Amino acid sequence: MEAAIDDQEPRSVSDQPRLAAWIWRPWYAKLWWTSIPIWWLGMAVATRVSSLEALYGSALAGYLDILFFPMTALMVLGVGYVRERLDGFVQPGDGTPLSDEEEEEALYRRRALEEHDRWAKRWRAGFDPADPRSGPLWIGNPLNPTNPGHINPHTGKFNAS
């Protein structure tokens, strides 16, 4: 088991992805960063030119303001960088099978999670007025078909009991 841990070599700082590679280098990033100041300069000019004022005052311009906001570009272009950084934390396994103890522990955890899910579903049913397992909440609920105040959603009439 120790050999598997020792086989993994630590990544050097130079192997880690650089943020600038994702935000500035791709062609679409360069195009986006170039169009941002052009958009905002056009908006400044639109205060003096009436023909541009109609464009920059439209609803489409509101959406383009968000598209050409520098923080939007930073967040969208940084997604690839964050994904690559997070992928760097996960190392590929060496393909060795689990030992008997590890397999038993994994089975125990899976069964414990399944039991917890069943318990949580039963617990939630006790507080759901539309679930018959909730007892008093179900008895007085107008959705209960045995309730005298039940209105059939298909016919719109009261229960005939």
Side-chain angles (χ1 to χ4, degrees), residues 4 8 90-96:
Q8 297 176 359
V90 179
Q91 299 294 328
D94 57 356
T96 58

Side-chain angles (χ1 to χ4, degrees), residues 83-135:
R83 185 175 292 155
E84 187 171 325
R85 272 306 284 260
L86 292 176
D87 287 345
F89 290 118
V90 179
Q91 299 294 328
D94 57 356
T96 58
L98 296 175
S99 67
D100 291 338
E101 294 84 20
E102 291 171 333
E103 198 170 315
E104 280 183 29
E105 185 177 340
L107 181 63
Y108 172 75
R109 286 184 183 181
R110 186 171 55 246
R111 285 183 182 165
L113 285 174
E114 289 171 358
E115 180 62 31
H116 175 72
D117 287 343
R118 281 194 298 273
W119 176 83
K121 285 178 185 175
R122 283 194 310 264
W123 187 79
R124 283 192 303 265
F127 294 98
D128 185 6
D131 194 328
R133 295 176 290 178
S134 66

Side-chain angles (χ1 to χ4, degrees), residues 17-136:
R18 300 206 39 160
L19 182 60
W22 289 94
I23 293 180
W24 299 106
R25 292 211 179 113
W27 66 269
Y28 51 86
K30 291 177 184 175
L31 179 66
W32 201 351
W33 287 114
T34 304
S35 60
I36 288 173
I38 293 171
W39 173 258
W40 291 106
L41 285 172
M43 185 175 283
V45 170
T47 60
R48 302 281 185 211
V49 178
S50 60
S51 61
L52 284 177
E53 189 175 349
L55 170 69
Y56 281 94
S58 68
L60 176 64
Y63 291 111
L64 292 175
D65 285 345
I66 296 169
L67 179 69
F68 292 123
F69 188 64
M71 288 305 294
T72 304
L74 186 65
M75 287 187 298
V76 171
L77 293 173
V79 167
Y81 168 75
V82 170
R83 185 175 292 155
E84 187 171 325
R85 272 306 284 260
L86 292 176
D87 287 345
F89 290 118
V90 179
Q91 299 294 328
D94 57 356
T96 58
L98 296 175
S99 67
D100 291 338
E101 294 84 20
E102 291 171 333
E103 198 170 315
E104 280 183 29
E105 185 177 340
L107 181 63
Y108 172 75
R109 286 184 183 181
R110 186 171 55 246
R111 285 183 182 165
L113 285 174
E114 289 171 358
E115 180 62 31
H116 175 72
D117 287 343
R118 281 194 298 273
W119 176 83
K121 285 178 185 175
R122 283 194 310 264
W123 187 79
R124 283 192 303 265
F127 294 98
D128 185 6
D131 194 328
R133 295 176 290 178
S134 66

